Amino acid sequence: MLTEIITSDLWLIVAGKTARILLIIAAAVVIQRLVGVVIDRFFFAGGGIKTLHFEEKRAQTLTELLKTLIKYSAYFIASVAVLAEFHIDTTSLIAGAGVIGIALGVGAQNLIKDFITGFFIVLEDQYAMGDYIMTDNLAGKVEEVGFRVTKLRDVNGVLHIIPNGGISRVSNHTRAPLQAIVNIPVAHEADIDQVLNLLEQACDTAKEMAEIVEGPKIIGIVDYQASHVVMRLVAKTVPLEQLKVETALRYSIKQLFTEHKIPQPQPLVNRA
């Protein structure tokens, strides 16, 4: 009985269907990769960045999003084509999926909110991959921006996966020069003119740092205390390098003050 069912014609039909299914899967993979290459060349081979004035970080973010959309679209189309090989009515299946999707959408408001917020994050270029941002009580480097979630890596190496719908406020630290601020306490006994000259020397030395965009410059006395005055230096730095500049300035000023024996402020309790 079984030998009567399994005929050469049946083997040909099975082989044909298998070959077509494999061809559909292979085509989906090849199309996905080819489109990915086209997207990379458009954004990074002088097309999108130069012609459309995309920043590199934004171009990288858009590239990953487009690749994700293409991947899922290719898989969906391939799945429908494979089902069609088994004579499954894909039209009714898609329509049924749409009805189910609408029903699920009523109870998936948070998911919809995540997608809508993610869309506007990309559209408005609020942040991109590689940016250092602060949102609510989290801060870190953006490793991935998706339509549903944002992946943030903090300074301790912890990866935070944040639903886009939960992001209410974002502070981006990498879109413009930041300001380094150094406050220097100077004892009342110190010669202010000498201190100003030494601070000028420290500023001149720091101007050679590649991290400094503008300055440093002396603001002057910004506070007056019982035991000392506070003098302030400021400088504009490239994003995320303000701490390095502040540290270098403090080190240079400490060396100069020690070399020229500038008196240090003393606590009032130690002064007779």
Side-chain angles (χ1 to χ4, degrees):
M1 186 70 174
L2 184 61
T3 55
E4 294 178 359
I5 297 175
I6 304 177
T7 62
S8 58
D9 292 337
L10 180 60
W11 279 113
L12 289 174
I13 293 173
V14 171
K17 284 188 177 293
T18 303
R20 287 194 293 271
I21 290 172
L22 293 175
L23 183 62
I24 290 169
I25 295 172
V29 173
V30 170
I31 290 173
Q32 174 195 338
R33 292 184 178 179
L34 285 177
V35 174
V37 171
V38 171
I39 291 172
D40 284 334
R41 290 185 177 180
F42 175 78
F43 280 102
F44 297 105
I49 291 180
K50 294 182 179 179
T51 305
L52 302 178
H53 307 289
F54 281 118
E55 295 180 357
E56 185 174 355
K57 290 181 180 179
R58 190 181 186 191
Q60 186 178 5
T61 303
L62 290 172
T63 297
E64 294 302 320
L65 287 174
L66 288 174
K67 285 182 178 179
T68 301
L69 288 174
I70 294 299
K71 178 177 71 174
Y72 288 119
S73 298
Y75 289 166
F76 177 75
I77 294 172
S79 300
V80 172
V82 169
L83 291 174
E85 287 295 322
F86 293 98
H87 303 290
I88 297 175
D89 188 0
T90 55
T91 303
S92 59
L93 185 65
I94 294 173
V99 173
I100 295 173
I102 293 173
L104 291 176
V106 176
Q109 295 181 4
N110 289 338
L111 183 62
I112 296 171
K113 182 181 179 182
D114 292 340
F115 274 92
I116 293 175
T117 306
F119 172 78
F120 281 106
I121 287 173
V122 176
L123 181 66
E124 298 171 357
D125 194 23
Q126 297 177 16
Y127 54 84
M129 293 173 61
D131 285 357
Y132 186 92
I133 68 170
M134 181 178 294
T135 171
D136 298 326
N137 61 340
L138 294 175
K141 184 177 181 180
V142 178
E143 289 201 350
E144 183 178 330
V145 181
F147 281 118
R148 196 181 70 83
V149 298
T150 292
K151 295 182 180 180
L152 199 66
R153 180 85 62 180
D154 66 19
V155 293
N156 296 319
V158 179
L159 181 65
H160 302 277
I161 301 175
I162 310 169
N164 291 331
I167 299 175
S168 58
R169 181 173 58 187
V170 175
S171 301
N172 196 321
H173 292 249
T174 53
R175 293 299 174 89
L178 299 181
Q179 184 161 268
I181 301 175
V182 178
N183 291 328
I184 306 297
V186 178
H188 291 301
E189 295 81 2
D191 185 339
I192 294 297
D193 290 332
Q194 183 185 18
V195 169
L196 287 171
N197 288 331
L198 295 177
L199 293 180
E200 286 286 357
Q201 292 180 35
C203 290
D204 291 339
T205 301
K207 287 178 180 177
E208 300 177 0
M209 295 182 65
E211 292 81 6
I212 294 180
V213 176
E214 180 183 321
K217 63 181 180 180
I218 302 170
I219 298 298
I221 297 175
V222 295
D223 195 10
Y224 194 96
Q225 300 291 332
S227 62
H228 64 276
V229 295
V230 178
M231 306 195 72
R232 177 172 295 173
L233 283 69
V234 298
K236 287 186 177 181
T237 74
V238 297
L240 305 182
E241 295 296 339
Q242 70 274 18
L243 181 60
K244 181 178 180 180
V245 172
E246 291 172 358
T247 302
L249 281 169
R250 290 190 185 98
Y251 178 81
S252 178
I253 292 168
K254 176 65 172 66
Q255 294 290 94
L256 288 169
F257 278 18
T258 301
E259 180 183 347
H260 292 83
K261 297 181 173 57
I262 301 297
Q264 298 298 305
Q266 299 297 323
L268 292 176
V269 293
N270 294 334
R271 301 179 66 177

